[in-house]
Amino acid sequence: MKGIGAPPRIVRWLLRLLWPVIAIVVTVICVPLLPVAALLSLVDRRARLFRAVGLILITVWLDLQLHLGCWRLWLTERGSPTWHGDHEKLLVDVLDTVLRVGRKWVNFEVVLDNTMDFGEPDRPLLAFARHAGPADSLAVAWLLSRTAGRLPRIVLADALRWDPGIDLILTRLGSSFVPSLSGAGDDRLTGVRRLADSLAPKDALLIFPEGENWTPERRARLIDRLRERGQAARLRQAEGLRRVLPPKTNGVIATLTARPDADVMVIAHAGLGNLTGPRALYDAIPFDRPFLVHTWTYAASTVPREPEAIGAWLADRWAEIDAWVSAHE
């Protein structure tokens, strides 16, 4: 996403109008492929092509359901006191369906490695998660909403505004789209601070501090850049982490300093992190291992709030994630 910026406002509006047409075009292309893929399943007993085409179709129509649901609420519920809650219900219902379909079609199953502790019920929760593998952000958001009863506000790349369903509903729910392109400066933190300041006691904020999905190639490129720039301390950190990228501290510092009252959850996951490209993803269908999740929760009083201390604390947490993932991936 780093090289893709958000669409201009006029393009966003055109996408919102044209999305049903795009969904129909994708359907017209994919439906004839289904019987062909079904026949090929006689050769490929894992039915990978059939599962992949079917999953594409279902995903497109679930995204359209999200998109049309937002328009329906705009037409019927504007100004209603249930406006925010209705959008939360729409998103959670679609996430439920996505996870249920993913389990049936490609054996994508979320499994907890330990009991999740969501901190004190009268405090907001800041969740910092590993970023790797397919659909990890959806799985973590769904897990927080269904297990904790806290639909998280999410900090995500503004390139995702190219999807009008995600753009509409997450904008209305108050998530923050940070600039995907480099050179954005403090603009990346403005929305993060706004979200942190606005958290109610039962709210959660979800951040992926690595900023992009881990892959071996990204890790190698990052190490090369750090070596060229002579950033010795960060280079040592990057070389010591095998299964995660070094976390970026600015967003974490912004949230922790803005909300000293918030408890903190650190989220690791393993099982599908090695699926780092379309070919690897296709070859692994249906998945033979679950999306395994492990969490650590820290009371607000135990988490540092000074920027330098936060950086050291976050580095220690990511070293723990790396060790856990290395043992379970």
Side-chain angles (χ1 to χ4, degrees), residues 246-295:
K248 299 174 182 177
T249 59
N250 287 345
V252 175
I253 290 172
T255 57
L256 288 176
T257 54
R259 297 308 300 257
D261 58 324
D263 293 327
V264 177
M265 175 182 285
V266 176
I267 303 173
H269 57 82
L272 305 179
N274 287 331
L275 306 181
T276 58
R279 183 67 195 188
L281 184 59
Y282 179 82
D283 288 344
I285 294 174
F287 304 135
D288 61 358
R289 62 196 64 189
F291 183 90
L292 185 65
V293 178
H294 186 93
T295 62

Side-chain angles (χ1 to χ4, degrees), residues 84 88 150-156 170 173-176 194-200 203-207:
H84 191 274
E88 282 194 348
R150 303 189 188 202
L151 180 65
R153 302 185 190 184
I154 308 173
V155 178
L156 64 170
L170 291 186
L173 288 175
S175 289
S176 177
R194 174 183 59 80
L195 287 187
D197 288 337
S198 66
L199 290 177
D203 284 341
L205 175 60
L206 175 60
I207 294 179

Side-chain angles (χ1 to χ4, degrees), residues 184-236:
D186 196 55
D187 288 346
R188 294 175 181 268
L189 299 180
T190 301
V192 177
R193 293 192 185 101
R194 174 183 59 80
L195 287 187
D197 288 337
S198 66
L199 290 177
K202 292 188 177 181
D203 284 341
L205 175 60
L206 175 60
I207 294 179
F208 298 89
E210 290 158 283
E212 57 185 338
N213 271 28
W214 171 89
T215 69
E217 294 77 16
R218 285 195 180 116
R219 176 181 178 273
R221 288 196 298 269
L222 175 62
I223 288 174
D224 288 342
R225 287 198 303 271
L226 294 174
R227 186 175 291 115
E228 291 170 1
R229 296 171 183 173
Q231 297 179 351
R234 192 157 172 82
L235 174 61
R236 286 194 299 272

Side-chain angles (χ1 to χ4, degrees), residues 66-74 87 90 165 168-169 172:
L66 196 64
H67 178 70
L68 295 179
C70 287
W71 280 109
R72 176 183 58 80
L73 291 173
W74 184 79
H87 280 82
L90 171 62
L168 269 173
I169 197 159
R172 292 181 185 178

